[in-house]
Amino acid sequence: MATRKETKGVSMIETFQEFKETKNIDRTTLVSVLEESFRNVIAKMFGSDENFDVIVNPDKGDFEIYRNRIVVADGEVEDENKQISLTEAQKIEPDYEIGEEVSEEVDFQKFGRRAILNLRQTLASKILELEHDSLYQKYKDKVGMIVSGEVYQMWKRETLLIDDEGNELHLPKSEQIPSDSYHKGETVRAIVKEVQNENNNPRIILSRTSPVFLERLLEAEVPEINDGLITIKRIARMPGERAKVAVESYDERIDPVGACVGVKGSRVHGIVRELCNENIDVINYSSNVQLFIQRALSPAKVTEIKLNTEEHKAEVYLQPEEVSLAIGRSGMNIKLASMLTEYTIDVFRVLNENEEDEDIYLDEFADEIDQWIIDSIKAIGLDTAKAVLNAPREMLIEKADLEEETVDHVLEVLRAEFE
């Protein structure tokens, strides 16, 4: 059976060893923390730690504490912590004299269980604080960079990943591609979106939907981007569905679009798979807004563009057969083009010469169409019957925020007027 002294000894060794191998903290900092923790406990016990020397030996996994006291004549000891009587000093070393300093090794375990517990609590608090600081700085410097983590747990609102050092990484549902599906233990890649640090408790937020994630993937796959020969100017994404990337090269010998796509799409295949089959359109950037909008609406061929640069709006006119291409499935193409160019794009069908010029204001149809519906359509800049008929059906649904049945009813009423 272990004696009380042996039990205390094991307790102290365990206390020291537990923190000696602490991750993410450099040796110098750890030694400083250990020394400071010992001094805090000593100061609480003796009122001051000024006359103590604390020596931490991280390599050996132990420590030494020495108390320094001045020798005074017997009966003149005023502060037992800082002074020692001549008789007591000579018990340690017979040749000590008054005025000399006595340095005596202190057995910390003799301070008792409460002191050891106090030391453990102090150490634990300081180590945790340092680990949090280290984690925050590490991931703060990685914001916008791709990291990998192993799926540890999945909840309704987020997925918890663990990095190779056991740190927790959070991937919220809102930052996941809609078709993402995870299994415990699999490796997931994402960018570090932000690092929150409320009450010195770092929370690393990842994202797979950010345009920056696609940008980093392209940098990894296309050497010309990484070398600075090609610049990614803008990216617009509808995660898991479709993305448009505008690129530019200052070297006329390089075709930026071809270099990014690769032979038969070889350079984007891996990215497409990573992004759950997200279709990636790469186009040439242009500082000419009209040309840029025209390219952004590809594969549709634009007939005419009218710009309002102050309000960042563009009226785009196309032949009837091109309108559906410009809009795209579920309005996806025109949404991405607007995001990419940073212009609100309205699409109009080019009128044929034999169409009548006569038009009717929408308010004239108030007896057949509810006024709130008319107001919703007028709010997106369509005031007349022909303006509505020339606008794509998808635009009316999306921008006027109307149900499909409502839009179909409106179009039916307006067409009837011109038949």
Side-chain angles (χ1 to χ4, degrees):
M1 181 181 293
T3 65
R4 181 172 176 81
K5 183 175 181 180
E6 288 171 340
T7 304
K8 285 183 182 178
V10 171
S11 203
M12 282 306 301
I13 292 170
E14 288 177 349
T15 296
F16 191 86
Q17 292 293 341
E18 182 177 339
F19 299 104
K20 190 172 78 72
E21 302 300 332
T22 303
K23 64 183 179 181
N24 295 333
I25 300 177
D26 64 85
R27 173 192 166 112
T28 303
T29 304
L30 182 59
V31 169
S32 175
V33 167
L34 287 165
E35 181 180 333
E36 185 182 349
S37 298
F38 278 115
R39 287 191 174 280
N40 285 342
V41 175
I42 290 168
K44 286 180 181 178
M45 295 187 66
F46 296 98
S48 172
D49 67 315
E50 294 175 5
N51 56 313
F52 285 82
D53 293 326
V54 179
I55 303 169
V56 177
N57 303 311
D59 295 330
K60 295 180 181 179
D62 63 10
F63 58 92
E64 298 171 65
I65 299 175
Y66 293 90
R67 178 164 62 165
N68 305 308
R69 292 185 288 178
I70 301 298
V71 179
V72 297
D74 291 351
E76 295 185 9
V77 175
E78 297 177 358
D79 184 346
E80 290 186 356
N81 180 40
K82 296 183 178 180
Q83 296 173 329
I84 185 172
S85 68
L86 179 61
T87 299
E88 290 299 317
Q90 289 178 342
K91 286 180 182 179
I92 300 171
E93 198 71 51
D95 56 355
Y96 272 125
E97 297 179 2
I98 293 173
E100 289 186 333
E101 185 179 73
V102 174
S103 184
E104 183 183 10
E105 187 171 2
V106 177
D107 185 355
F108 192 85
Q109 282 149 140
K110 289 183 179 178
F111 293 166
R113 183 173 174 275
R114 179 169 296 193
I116 295 172
L117 183 61
N118 193 346
L119 174 66
R120 288 179 63 84
Q121 290 174 340
T122 303
L123 273 174
S125 175
K126 289 185 176 296
I127 294 295
L128 184 62
E129 184 179 336
L130 283 170
E131 284 184 338
H132 284 177
D133 286 344
S134 175
L135 181 61
Y136 176 72
Q137 291 300 329
K138 174 183 176 180
Y139 275 95
K140 183 183 177 185
D141 293 340
K142 288 188 176 183
V143 170
M145 294 172 61
I146 293 179
V147 296
S148 298
E150 184 178 297
V151 176
Y152 182 74
Q153 198 162 358
M154 291 158 286
W155 296 293
K156 185 176 181 180
R157 294 187 178 180
E158 72 172 14
T159 295
L160 179 65
L161 308 177
I162 302 293
D163 70 8
D164 56 6
E165 293 181 344
N167 299 309
E168 295 183 351
L169 312 174
H170 300 265
L171 181 58
K173 192 70 177 176
S174 59
E175 301 297 332
Q176 298 174 24
I177 296 170
S179 52
D180 274 340
S181 178
Y182 305 123
H183 301 90
K184 188 169 183 177
E186 75 172 298
T187 300
V188 173
R189 291 202 295 170
I191 62 144
V192 179
K193 181 182 180 183
E194 62 174 317
V195 182
Q196 301 168 352
N197 197 31
E198 187 174 348
N199 298 322
N200 195 34
N201 187 22
R203 182 179 171 86
I204 297 102
I205 308 298
L206 305 184
S207 175
R208 285 173 53 81
T209 60
S210 168
V212 180
F213 186 42
L214 174 52
E215 184 176 352
R216 295 292 173 265
L217 291 172
L218 282 165
E219 287 174 354
E221 292 292 332
V222 184
E224 291 87 346
I225 295 176
N226 198 38
D227 293 341
L229 298 174
I230 294 175
T231 303
I232 297 175
K233 300 295 288 187
R234 291 182 192 172
I235 293 179
R237 284 185 69 192
M238 298 185 71
E241 296 287 342
R242 192 172 176 183
K244 286 183 181 285
V245 182
V247 295
E248 184 178 42
S249 174
Y250 299 106
D251 190 332
E252 294 180 357
R253 296 168 297 178
I254 296 176
D255 170 18
V257 173
C260 290
V261 175
V263 179
K264 296 183 179 179
S266 59
R267 286 183 170 177
V268 295
H269 279 167
I271 299 174
V272 169
R273 284 194 299 273
E274 175 72 57
L275 302 181
C276 302
N277 295 319
E278 187 172 311
N279 186 19
I280 301 172
D281 298 335
V282 184
I283 67 169
N284 280 304
Y285 175 79
S286 176
S287 56
N288 182 316
V289 178
Q290 288 195 340
L291 180 57
F292 190 34
I293 290 174
Q294 182 178 324
R295 290 172 177 172
L297 285 171
S298 176
K301 294 179 180 178
V302 176
T303 301
E304 183 184 2
I305 298 177
K306 294 181 180 179
L307 292 179
N308 182 335
T309 53
E310 289 185 3
E311 299 183 13
H312 270 229
K313 290 184 178 181
E315 293 182 356
V316 178
Y317 295 86
L318 306 100
Q319 295 299 323
E321 64 274 13
E322 298 292 328
V323 171
S324 60
L325 288 174
I327 299 297
R329 179 169 58 87
S330 302
M332 198 177 297
N333 198 58
I334 193 170
K335 284 180 187 174
L336 286 170
S338 292
M339 291 164 62
L340 193 71
T341 61
E342 299 176 352
Y343 266 73
T344 301
I345 300 174
D346 293 321
V347 173
F348 298 94
R349 179 171 61 90
V350 175
L351 294 173
N352 295 327
E353 292 181 2
N354 58 358
E355 289 190 62
E356 297 180 11
D357 292 330
E358 184 181 347
D359 203 349
I360 304 171
Y361 285 105
L362 284 183
D363 291 322
E364 299 293 323
F365 295 88
D367 56 338
E368 296 179 82
I369 303 173
D370 291 342
Q371 188 61 47
W372 70 270
I373 296 174
I374 292 175
D375 291 341
S376 296
I377 296 174
K378 288 170 65 178
I380 64 172
L382 305 176
D383 297 320
T384 67
K386 285 191 175 180
V388 174
L389 290 172
N390 288 334
R393 175 177 176 273
E394 292 84 352
M395 190 176 87
L396 295 171
I397 296 169
E398 181 72 26
K399 293 199 172 184
D401 196 21
L402 298 172
E403 297 291 336
E404 291 187 26
E405 295 80 0
T406 302
V407 171
D408 290 339
H409 170 68
V410 170
L411 294 176
E412 184 180 344
V413 170
L414 298 183
R415 285 195 193 99
E417 183 66 29
F418 295 100
E419 289 179 354

